Amino acid sequence: MIGLGTIANTIAVIIGGCIGLFLKKGIKKSLQDSLLQAMGIAVLFIGIGGTLSQMFVFKDGHLETTGTMLMIFSLLIGTFINSNLYWRYGYYWSTPRWFIW
């Protein structure tokens, strides 16, 4: 069936969101912070793994890299845009407004 994974993912997110709403008041703030940091690190490793799997390729028995300059320019442009938003508007675009002190 086409789209079964999308449907299952949507249901899982809705159920997880409802559980989170009910348990949010029952979990200590320190545990919430630790869980948030752990999930952030997990997402970081998943992203790095996905990027590196496409960048490092075995070809004819040798390890070759692809897309290195694209990654460097993407980081450069993203940093430039984010720093300009900070100087113009006083906040980083990637930082949620509620997080700003």
Side-chain angles (χ1 to χ4, degrees):
M1 176 181 202
I2 297 175
L4 184 61
T6 304
I7 294 169
N9 190 27
T10 303
I11 292 170
V13 168
I14 291 171
I15 291 172
C18 291
I19 291 172
L21 284 174
F22 291 120
L23 293 181
K24 186 174 183 178
K25 304 213 183 210
I27 299 175
K28 292 190 290 185
K29 178 70 173 151
S30 61
L31 181 59
Q32 287 180 11
D33 292 339
S34 297
L35 287 172
L36 185 63
Q37 290 174 352
M39 293 299 117
I41 291 172
V43 167
L44 184 68
F45 280 117
I46 291 169
I48 289 172
T51 302
L52 293 180
S53 70
Q54 297 298 317
M55 286 184 65
F56 295 122
V57 179
F58 279 104
K59 197 176 213 181
D60 299 326
H62 295 91
L63 182 64
E64 294 183 4
T65 58
T66 60
T68 307
M69 292 305 292
L70 177 63
M71 182 187 72
I72 291 171
F73 283 124
S74 297
L75 291 172
L76 179 72
I77 292 168
T79 303
F80 179 73
I81 291 171
N82 205 22
S83 65
N84 276 339
L85 285 175
Y86 176 74
W87 288 111
R88 287 191 182 179
Y89 303 109
Y91 64 89
Y92 290 110
W93 178 77
S94 58
T95 305
R97 290 182 188 227
W98 55 264
F99 189 72
I100 299 169
W101 301 96

